[in-house]
Amino acid sequence: MVTERPLLIPSPRTPNSTQDLPSLPVLSCSVVKVNLDNSRLASGMASQNPIESSSSNEISYKSSSRRSLSSNPSRASRGNSVRAGSFRDLGPRPVRLGSRGGDSEMFSASQKEISDEDARLVYLNEPAKSNERFEFSGNSVRTSKYSLISFIPRNLFEQFHRVAYVYFLIIAVLNQLPQLAVFGRGASIMPLAFVLLVTAVKDAYEDWRRHMSDRIENNRLAWVLVNDQFQQKKWKDIQVGEIIKIQANDTLPCDMVLLSTSDSTGVAYVQTINLDGESNLKTRYAKQETLSKIPEKEKICGLIKCDKPNRNIYGFLGNMDVDEKRLSLGPSNIILRGCELKNTDWAIGVAVYCGRETKAMLNNSGAPSKRSWLESRMNSEIIVLSVFLIALCTVVSISAAVWLRRHRDELDTLPFYRRKDFSDAEPKNYNYYGWAAEILFTFLMSVIVFQIMIPISLYISMELVRVGQAYFMVHDTQMFDEASNSRFQCRALNINEDLGQIKYVFSDKTGTLTENKMEFQCASVWGVDYSDGKASTNQQDRYSVKVDGKIVKPKMTVKVDPQLLELSRSGRDTEEVKHVHDFFLALAACNTIVPLIVDHKSDPTVKLMDYQGESPDEQALAYAAAAYGFMLIERTSGHIIIDIHGERQRFNVFGLHEFDSDRKRMSVILGCPDSTMRVFVKGADTSMFSVINRSLNKNVIRATEGHLHAYSSLGLRTLVIGMRDLSDSEFEDWHFSFEAASTAVVGRAALLRKVASDVEKSLTILGASAIEDKLQQGVPEAIESLRTAGIKVWVLTGDKQETAMSIGYSSKLLTNKMTQIIINSNSRDSCRRCLEDALVMSKKLRTVSETSDHTGTSSEAARSPVALIIDGTSLVYVLDSELEEQLFQLASTCSVVLCCRVAPLQKAGIVALVKKRTSDMTLSIGDGANDVSMIQMADVGVGISGQEGRQAVMASDFAMGQFRFLVPLLLVHGHWNYQRMGYMILYNFYRNAVFVFVLFWYALFACFTLTTAINEWSSMLYSIIYTSLPTIVVAVLDKDLSRSNLLKYPQLYGAGQRQEAYNRKLFWLTMLDTVWQSLVVFFVPIFAYWASTIDVPSIGDLWTLAVVILVNLHLAMDIIRWNWIFHAVIWGSIVATFICVVILDAMPMFAGYWAIFNIMGEWSFWECLLCIIIAALLPRFVVKVLYQYFTPDDIQIAREAEKFGRLRDIAVEVEMNPIMEPPPRR
């Protein structure tokens, strides 16, 4: 089994002995001592930034071993590493986010060992026998949730997960009881039924679309071997064990093991864009033993033993017994459902996983469900409102009890409480249940009458508002990526408002901050640096070959160094030329590139060589080799053909050891034309220098180390190249071990790693390559805007420290004014000491800064922000240990945190570190599968749809094409969404509470009998029709500030971080205002009509209209940017309420028949309405004016300046409020 090892193994460190090197631009690595005794902080310069010539303060904490001059692994390495570790078997499993506890988690399903009890047995061309013991899943897929029978019960079950719905259901049931019937039975059910119906219709429509999609998918046709000939069969009828034939450009109906292809070498090219979004072609291979078998002419028999269905789309482990031979099967032998066959006429395979057991369907789970902070906080306010409700009901029931006790002798004749029924000839007693029972019934009736204190319409209003907000985000042209022709994607509608409260942004580097479009820049070959700046990209000088009589040129142009190009072309038999030849041969051969010849768009006489690879790094290196005359033109499962300056040479590929996260390198064993056997290896310097024979060519090794350091300091991605010749005995030993490991049933992954390690040793260094991954457009400006907005940006990358720091400077994440704290440790004790020293240093820096603030000094050193730079090896000992708290304390005092050489689970661990210790909102952004765990751990996950497929996008809440789009997403849409949603929630609480308090005051005047003056239908329609539409429209369309000013002044984003739009203080102020307005609405008509003969329904209609007009004008007072839609919905709601009241009073079956017509004819009715509006809104208006005049917040200042055209003066005249740190999460 796999030996337990740490998640990130401390790599062997290379001596930092640059003093023996020739004159090279290598940065000094000396430790800087900081003298804090001086009143002015004196800090030395630890290193000279190659990009900015200004000095920077650096405090470097190191362990006893020196920091290595490590290089950056290729993107191919990263990709394969992720594929080995990002997907696991189904089922929950505890995962430690540190290192040593989660060692085995880094190994993929393909690297796990298969045992008999965990195996799936598939008999070739015998589906009945394959399904005899275990009934495997059919190939019919179903992505829909409901059926005709299950829709109603299941949909209702899901909807009633909301506690508020259960509450309203109980209310409706109580109202059905005769003793508690306050409203009509139909009227009490209608609000809940309306909300349930709207949601059910939406869910039904979405599920109907899924049913239609499933039907189309299941009824597609495929060629299946039946009775020794291929016949068309519906996808849904395909079974495990059947042999299937796929034609060119067809989509695979199931996961199948490849048996043969139209290519004589058994190669098939597939495109996995439907599976993971990657458009590059992948190679899959059929075993040589099954290539010659023709299913129509001879019966194919055999047994496949493979692992059980799992989610790992990059892993497969199995064996195939054919003709008494056992053949090993791996990921390169299986093609998954959803892939398309390309550049191959046909392919034949056997189905091993079908239907819901295919890897594509097992991964079809979508992003995890998250709840917004506002919705979570809203629940506490709903609890407060519930307490309000209980208090009101208690007051009414106790008051009723007192009233009953005081008037117990008069109950036979008093209105509402009389026990005698005088409608009959002989009066009979009412069903009087006794004093205690009447108190209970009064309490329950109060709950029914005051039920809308809990706003049922708020939930559906929030859903509709989020849909509207998402529409405008998706259609924002400033977040449209022209390069990928992709719009912004809103994949999680329930956390839109969280975008306005982000405090921490955790970002990947490669592909997120950078373009992930690799360009070969320079190389170091045999200790010589070929990066003197004389490189040329002349299109006419591009290397070309002739294939089938046509000129073929590399599709991508590469800058070439004239001196190095001359050496590569030279036919001299010198040591220097030989090493250059071997170096570029390694670049051309040590990869998994698929060469394809495509048409030239402008010149039909010229063809282009398109290198399809699984990573941009491999493509860049292959194009570099081609530019220097080593063009890979053909690849099969057994050999490759390379055109070396016009001479085609065939190299037999005896074995390929792909990159894994343990070795951090890949190798290929080639049989060369001169009959020699060679192993070529490339990988990260931290792994390569441990397998290079350091006793040979010491000067070359030291020079290469210096070049690597120089390249990394310029932000270039580096790889080390090595090789060695294999003797016949060594080759035979390797070949025997390789074959044995490849066919092993148990321990195959561990054996293959051991075989690779045995052959990858005593290497001769050839040189190093340097690839540039340029920053995306607008990244420096975006990071500066985010930091100005008070957002802390942390970069978590797998790249080496020097590369990450260089990118940090160019992206303005790091500045020359920052004091840098660097922690590189390789033991727990050393890491503890470093953290303790760094904490002391950080406190002293903060003390000096505070002292400087009080004394008024302007020392830049004293005021300089702090940047923490820590590597993954140190994090091995920090995460999941007692050192986590120290790291958090240190990081929280830093303006920037840069984590280098971190593994995917460590990224998630760092996010969890912050989430567990603070209530601040976190956002993670990344582009690759190695970012999935980080994206899912954060409160908000953003995926970049870039060069590494769609794994990050599929796991994210939001997706976009460029990092710079994060600025308008947060500073504009996030701000708007938070402000609108916060206001809408408070407004809904206010709107419903006003109405409830009016009912409550009336209950106190009606002997606590719970009879209502307001028509029961008006009570039910109040929060659904009368007042719901305006708040939804305003929450979708209103804007407190313009886009341009939100982008120009990022400090305005702090309003969301300080929770200014929704907090407990605002809630209580709103409730206080609510009580006042309800008193005005109730008592003004009471006093106005006290001596009149007006009936109860008439004054009830007055209250209804007054409340509706009041809450709509209350909303109108807070609208910032009026448009015709706002006018239509606000005044339209008031008119609609008048119409509904008129219609209800025109119906004879209601008690208030014709009441509205009687009261509207009097001037006192209109006078009451006017007085109510003025008296109710005047205090709010006065308080609002005084508050904005004497203590305005940032948004109010900016809004006023924007209105009067003086916003440009804000930065000078007004100091923005500081962003206060919220209390830590308990």
Side-chain angles (χ1 to χ4, degrees):
M1 297 298 291
V2 177
T3 305
E4 290 194 358
R5 304 191 66 175
L7 182 66
L8 270 186
I9 305 165
S11 303
R13 304 285 178 166
T14 57
N16 189 9
S17 54
T18 57
Q19 64 270 18
D20 297 332
L21 297 179
S23 177
L24 293 169
V26 180
L27 303 186
S28 170
C29 294
S30 59
V31 180
V32 175
K33 296 182 179 180
V34 180
N35 182 7
L36 292 170
D37 297 333
N38 197 329
S39 60
R40 291 171 64 91
L41 179 65
S43 60
M45 188 178 85
S47 65
Q48 182 72 23
N49 175 30
I51 298 175
E52 299 184 25
S53 59
S54 306
S55 62
S56 63
N57 303 317
E58 179 178 329
I59 304 165
S60 180
Y61 295 105
K62 305 178 184 178
S63 63
S64 56
S65 64
R66 297 187 181 99
R67 182 173 57 189
S68 70
L69 299 174
S70 56
S71 70
N72 174 40
S74 70
R75 197 62 172 178
S77 302
R78 288 187 66 194
N80 291 336
S81 172
V82 172
R83 286 188 279 276
S86 57
F87 295 98
R88 300 171 181 82
D89 290 335
L90 294 174
R93 192 185 310 178
V95 177
R96 289 172 60 85
L97 297 173
S99 61
R100 299 185 181 273
D103 304 342
S104 61
E105 294 298 336
M106 285 303 295
F107 298 110
S108 68
S110 66
Q111 291 174 314
K112 293 178 182 176
E113 321 308 343
I114 185 170
S115 59
D116 290 340
E117 59 270 17
D118 293 331
R120 160 172 287 206
L121 303 180
V122 179
Y123 294 90
L124 274 65
N125 201 22
E126 295 185 82
K129 189 175 181 180
S130 298
N131 290 271
E132 183 178 5
R133 181 181 176 187
F134 302 104
E135 188 174 347
F136 299 136
S137 172
N139 202 41
S140 176
V141 297
R142 177 182 171 185
T143 59
S144 57
K145 294 172 59 177
Y146 311 107
S147 64
L148 287 175
I149 298 176
S150 67
F151 176 75
I152 293 178
R154 184 174 177 180
N155 187 263
L156 289 176
F157 176 77
E158 290 177 351
Q159 291 198 59
F160 278 106
H161 273 67
R162 282 179 168 165
V163 179
Y165 288 9
V166 177
Y167 161 78
F168 282 100
L169 178 64
I170 295 173
I171 296 296
V173 171
L174 290 176
N175 196 72
Q176 307 307 306
L177 302 177
Q179 298 88 348
L180 304 178
V182 179
F183 303 127
R185 295 181 177 179
S188 63
I189 295 176
M190 199 195 76
L192 179 61
F194 176 78
V195 173
L196 294 176
L197 179 63
V198 170
T199 307
V201 169
K202 175 181 72 72
D203 293 342
Y205 174 71
E206 292 177 352
D207 205 59
W208 175 79
R209 294 180 61 184
R210 296 191 196 102
H211 272 287
M212 295 298 100
S213 176
D214 292 343
R215 181 177 300 177
I216 294 172
E217 188 82 357
N218 291 326
N219 289 321
R220 296 174 69 175
L221 299 176
W223 293 96
V224 180
L225 187 66
V226 180
N227 298 326
D228 297 331
Q229 61 180 353
F230 286 104
Q231 301 178 6
Q232 284 195 329
K233 196 174 187 180
K234 290 183 179 180
W235 278 23
K236 63 182 180 182
D237 298 326
I238 295 175
Q239 294 179 291
V240 172
E242 288 188 319
I243 293 179
I244 305 166
K245 186 174 184 179
I246 306 298
Q247 305 290 342
N249 300 319
D250 282 353
T251 302
L252 271 75
C254 59
D255 296 352
M256 71 180 202
V257 169
L258 205 55
L259 297 178
S260 61
T261 72
S262 58
D263 187 272
S264 59
T265 61
V267 177
Y269 301 106
V270 296
Q271 191 176 63
T272 60
I273 192 169
N274 294 330
L275 193 63
D276 58 13
E278 297 182 7
S279 58
N280 292 333
L281 296 186
K282 314 294 192 304
T283 52
R284 296 296 181 262
Y285 303 96
K287 288 296 181 180
Q288 296 293 327
E289 289 78 0
T290 61
L291 271 180
S292 59
K293 296 184 179 295
I294 303 175
E296 298 99 320
K297 296 182 179 180
E298 58 178 308
K299 184 175 179 61
I300 299 180
C301 297
L303 172 65
I304 293 178
K305 180 181 179 183
C306 60
D307 45 9
K308 290 185 177 179
N310 58 76
R311 293 180 179 176
N312 187 359
I313 62 176
Y314 299 108
F316 178 71
L317 188 65
N319 296 297
M320 180 166 56
D321 294 331
V322 176
D323 297 337
E324 299 181 353
K325 291 183 180 180
R326 171 157 291 183
L327 311 175
S328 64
L329 300 174
S332 62
N333 305 121
I334 187 172
I335 311 180
L336 305 183
R337 179 189 178 112
C339 296
E340 293 183 11
L341 190 66
K342 297 290 185 181
N343 290 28
T344 308
D345 293 336
W346 54 263
I348 295 175
V350 57
V352 289
Y353 305 124
C354 288
R356 64 177 182 273
E357 294 178 343
T358 58
K359 295 180 183 291
M361 294 304 298
L362 291 175
N363 280 281
N364 190 21
S365 57
S369 177
K370 298 179 181 179
R371 294 181 63 192
S372 72
W373 180 89
L374 273 181
E375 189 169 350
S376 301
R377 182 62 183 270
M378 185 183 73
N379 288 335
S380 63
E381 266 68 58
I382 286 181
I383 292 175
V384 173
L385 291 176
S386 301
V387 173
F388 261 126
L389 178 64
I390 294 173
L392 296 180
C393 296
T394 303
V395 169
V396 171
S397 58
I398 292 177
S399 300
V402 173
W403 194 93
L404 285 171
R405 175 67 69 181
R406 292 176 59 184
H407 299 83
R408 58 182 179 273
D409 298 330
E410 308 172 41
L411 296 179
D412 283 338
T413 57
L414 284 175
F416 308 118
Y417 276 100
R418 64 189 183 194
R419 287 184 292 174
K420 295 290 185 180
D421 185 357
F422 297 98
S423 59
D424 297 332
E426 295 184 4
K428 297 179 181 178
N429 287 341
Y430 268 107
N431 290 329
Y432 181 66
Y433 300 98
W435 187 62
E438 289 289 346
I439 293 176
L440 175 62
F441 289 154
T442 302
F443 182 87
L444 295 177
M445 291 168 66
S446 302
V447 174
I448 296 174
V449 172
F450 305 147
Q451 61 179 288
I452 64 170
M453 177 68 82
I454 311 298
I456 186 173
S457 62
L458 177 57
Y459 291 98
I460 193 168
S461 297
M462 291 177 69
E463 295 297 328
L464 294 174
V465 167
R466 285 166 175 161
V467 170
Q469 293 172 347
Y471 173 84
F472 288 106
M473 287 192 291
V474 169
H475 291 82
D476 187 347
T477 56
Q478 293 194 15
M479 294 195 294
F480 177 78
D481 184 26
E482 295 181 355
S484 59
N485 195 32
S486 60
R487 292 183 180 273
F488 176 83
Q489 298 178 45
C490 187
R491 298 172 51 83
L493 291 176
N494 52 344
I495 58 173
N496 291 354
E497 56 271 22
D498 283 350
L499 294 171
Q501 306 169 78
I502 301 300
K503 183 67 176 179
Y504 288 89
V505 168
F506 301 92
S507 175
D508 178 38
K509 184 187 76 68
T510 306
T512 304
L513 299 180
T514 60
E515 294 181 349
N516 199 17
K517 294 180 180 179
M518 310 302 176
E519 295 182 7
F520 182 87
Q521 293 297 317
C522 55
S524 169
V525 182
W526 199 244
V528 179
D529 179 17
Y530 297 96
S531 60
D532 57 3
K534 298 178 181 178
S536 170
T537 57
N538 192 333
Q539 294 281 345
Q540 303 299 325
D541 295 339
R542 268 202 292 175
Y543 181 76
S544 63
V545 298
K546 279 195 174 183
V547 178
D548 297 332
K550 292 191 176 182
I551 298 175
V552 179
K553 294 183 177 181
K555 185 178 180 180
M556 181 184 295
T557 59
V558 176
K559 291 192 295 185
V560 295
D561 182 89
Q563 183 183 356
L564 186 57
L565 181 60
E566 181 62 29
L567 287 173
S568 69
R569 290 174 175 175
S570 175
R572 299 192 306 269
D573 187 15
T574 62
E575 193 76 9
E576 186 180 24
V577 172
K578 178 180 179 298
H579 291 308
V580 170
H581 181 280
D582 291 339
F583 178 83
F584 286 112
L585 179 60
L587 296 188
C590 191
N591 53 56
T592 57
I593 289 293
V594 178
L596 297 176
I597 298 177
V598 298
D599 294 330
H600 196 289
K601 292 183 178 179
S602 58
D603 190 352
T605 63
V606 176
K607 297 289 186 178
L608 296 178
M609 182 63 73
D610 184 11
Y611 287 144
Q612 296 283 329
E614 298 190 15
S615 79
D617 290 89
E618 282 197 340
Q619 292 173 301
L621 293 177
Y623 281 120
Y628 282 94
F630 292 72
M631 182 182 288
L632 175 67
I633 61 175
E634 182 180 327
R635 176 184 294 278
T636 70
S637 59
H639 72 270
I640 57 176
I641 295 179
I642 302 176
D643 186 290
I644 302 177
H645 292 292
E647 180 185 355
R648 294 193 183 183
Q649 298 187 19
R650 172 180 170 136
F651 297 85
N652 293 321
V653 180
F654 293 109
L656 181 70
H657 295 285
E658 292 193 10
F659 178 92
D660 64 60
S661 58
D662 187 9
R663 292 164 38 246
K664 294 186 176 66
R665 55 185 179 263
M666 73 174 296
S667 59
V668 61
I669 288 80
L670 295 182
C672 300
D674 58 0
S675 300
T676 59
M677 304 296 176
R678 292 182 176 181
V679 54
F680 291 93
V681 189
K682 70 177 181 182
D685 63 341
T686 51
S687 65
M688 287 295 291
F689 282 125
S690 64
V691 295
I692 285 176
N693 189 345
R694 302 185 69 89
S695 63
L696 301 175
N697 309 306
K698 294 182 180 179
N699 291 334
V700 174
I701 294 175
R702 285 198 297 269
T704 304
E705 289 175 344
H707 299 155
L708 285 169
H709 189 87
Y711 296 160
S712 300
S713 299
L714 295 174
L716 302 179
R717 299 163 58 85
T718 57
L719 282 177
V720 175
I721 314 297
M723 63 152 288
R724 76 181 179 99
D725 292 327
L726 297 178
S727 64
D728 292 342
S729 59
E730 286 178 322
F731 175 76
E732 289 176 2
D733 291 341
W734 168 83
H735 191 265
F736 176 79
S737 302
F738 183 74
E739 289 296 323
S742 299
T743 57
V745 178
V746 177
R748 180 191 300 178
L751 289 173
L752 283 172
R753 283 193 295 275
K754 185 178 185 303
V755 172
S757 299
D758 289 342
V759 76
E760 297 168 349
K761 63 183 181 181
S762 301
L763 301 177
T764 298
I765 189 170
L766 293 175
S769 63
I771 300 173
E772 181 180 18
D773 186 9
K774 293 183 179 179
L775 278 178
Q776 292 182 10
Q777 177 186 353
V779 166
E781 294 80 4
I783 290 179
E784 188 175 15
S785 294
L786 294 176
R787 292 180 58 193
T788 305
I791 299 173
K792 295 184 177 181
V793 181
W794 293 22
V795 174
L796 318 178
T797 177
D799 286 338
K800 64 175 297 185
Q801 185 170 297
E802 289 81 3
T803 303
M805 290 178 64
S806 179
I807 294 295
Y809 277 109
S810 60
S811 65
K812 293 187 180 180
L813 184 71
L814 300 175
T815 66
N816 62 312
K817 295 182 180 180
M818 287 184 175
T819 300
Q820 296 177 4
I821 298 178
I822 301 177
I823 298 179
N824 294 330
S825 302
N826 62 356
S827 70
R828 189 179 299 275
D829 293 337
S830 173
C831 195
R832 180 182 288 106
R833 290 193 300 270
C834 291
L835 286 172
E836 291 172 353
D837 294 342
L839 279 171
V840 172
M841 184 65 61
S842 175
K843 290 178 181 178
K844 289 183 178 179
L845 287 170
R846 187 165 50 184
T847 302
V848 172
S849 177
E850 291 173 355
T851 304
S852 174
D853 290 338
H854 287 106
T855 59
T857 59
S858 58
S859 169
E860 290 190 6
R863 296 175 179 272
S864 66
V866 180
L868 172 63
I869 300 166
I870 185 170
D871 67 352
T873 307
S874 302
L875 289 173
V876 165
Y877 306 106
V878 173
L879 298 180
D880 292 331
S881 72
E882 70 280 2
L883 301 180
E884 274 192 350
E885 185 62 34
Q886 290 178 291
L887 176 62
F888 174 75
Q889 292 177 6
L890 175 61
S892 60
T893 64
C894 298
S895 301
V896 172
V897 177
L898 185 60
C899 301
C900 316
R901 294 292 201 194
V902 291
L905 285 180
Q906 285 181 318
K907 292 184 178 183
I910 294 167
V911 177
L913 176 77
V914 174
K915 283 188 65 178
K916 287 189 295 185
R917 290 168 173 81
T918 177
S919 58
D920 295 328
M921 300 295 296
T922 59
L923 179 146
S924 292
I925 180 170
D927 71 315
N930 57 336
D931 303 316
V932 167
S933 56
M934 173 180 73
I935 287 172
Q936 293 181 337
M937 178 61 67
D939 295 304
V940 178
V942 178
I944 298 290
S945 51
Q947 305 293 317
E948 285 198 23
R950 295 181 56 83
Q951 297 95 323
V953 170
M954 291 187 290
S956 66
D957 306 305
F958 305 95
M960 54 191 184
Q962 298 281 330
F963 178 85
R964 59 189 170 92
F965 297 158
L966 200 60
V967 173
L969 177 64
L970 298 184
L971 271 55
V972 178
H973 292 285
H975 173 85
W976 285 341
N977 293 346
Y978 169 73
Q979 295 289 330
R980 296 161 174 169
M981 190 64 74
Y983 178 81
M984 192 196 76
I985 294 173
L986 288 174
Y987 176 80
N988 272 267
F989 289 157
Y990 147 79
R991 182 191 67 188
N992 284 27
V994 166
F995 196 81
V996 168
F997 276 118
V998 171
L999 298 177
F1000 173 72
W1001 305 133
Y1002 180 75
L1004 300 183
F1005 276 76
C1007 302
F1008 319 104
T1009 58
L1010 276 303
T1011 56
T1012 60
I1014 297 175
N1015 185 289
E1016 61 186 32
W1017 282 97
S1018 288
S1019 297
M1020 295 301 155
L1021 295 174
Y1022 173 76
S1023 59
I1024 297 177
I1025 295 178
Y1026 291 175
T1027 59
S1028 61
L1029 187 59
T1031 181
I1032 294 174
V1033 174
V1034 170
V1036 172
L1037 298 178
D1038 198 19
K1039 301 174 183 178
D1040 56 351
L1041 286 167
S1042 65
R1043 170 194 292 269
S1044 59
N1045 288 320
L1046 287 172
L1047 293 175
K1048 188 176 182 180
Y1049 300 97
Q1051 301 96 323
L1052 296 169
Y1053 184 79
Q1057 297 170 332
R1058 295 187 294 270
Q1059 300 164 8
E1060 291 182 358
Y1062 186 88
N1063 52 55
R1064 186 61 58 86
K1065 177 183 176 181
L1066 281 176
F1067 173 78
W1068 286 111
L1069 288 175
T1070 301
M1071 289 299 103
L1072 186 63
D1073 188 30
T1074 298
V1075 173
W1076 164 254
Q1077 293 189 24
S1078 67
L1079 288 170
V1080 173
V1081 170
F1082 179 78
F1083 283 103
V1084 167
I1086 287 290
F1087 293 145
Y1089 291 99
W1090 186 261
S1092 68
T1093 58
I1094 189 174
D1095 59 351
V1096 171
S1098 295
I1099 200 169
D1101 289 341
L1102 174 57
W1103 282 331
T1104 299
L1105 294 171
V1107 171
V1108 172
I1109 295 173
L1110 179 64
V1111 297
N1112 277 285
L1113 291 179
H1114 178 110
L1115 178 63
M1117 283 178 59
D1118 295 329
I1119 292 177
I1120 309 300
R1121 299 175 186 272
W1122 279 90
N1123 56 50
W1124 69 268
I1125 300 178
F1126 292 163
H1127 285 286
V1129 294
I1130 288 179
W1131 312 124
S1133 294
I1134 295 174
V1135 172
T1137 303
F1138 269 96
I1139 294 173
C1140 288
V1141 170
V1142 168
I1143 293 174
L1144 291 174
D1145 283 0
M1147 295 182 178
M1149 73 279 297
F1150 294 125
Y1153 178 65
W1154 219 250
I1156 189 65
F1157 300 99
N1158 294 328
I1159 195 172
M1160 283 178 62
E1162 301 178 5
W1163 278 105
S1164 56
F1165 170 82
W1166 304 103
E1167 291 171 352
C1168 280
L1169 284 180
L1170 182 61
C1171 292
I1172 288 172
I1173 293 169
I1174 294 174
L1177 294 180
L1178 184 61
R1180 173 180 175 81
F1181 177 78
V1182 172
V1183 171
K1184 192 173 182 180
V1185 169
L1186 293 176
Y1187 177 75
Q1188 294 188 12
Y1189 186 81
F1190 290 105
T1191 58
D1193 57 29
D1194 294 345
I1195 294 177
Q1196 291 163 350
I1197 295 171
R1199 198 164 63 211
E1200 181 179 348
E1202 181 182 273
K1203 181 176 181 180
F1204 295 102
R1206 293 185 291 107
L1207 194 57
R1208 61 183 180 276
D1209 300 328
I1210 284 184
V1212 178
E1213 296 180 358
V1214 180
E1215 181 180 352
M1216 293 293 181
N1217 292 328
I1219 298 176
M1220 304 301 293
E1221 296 287 345
R1225 181 179 292 169
R1226 300 294 182 187

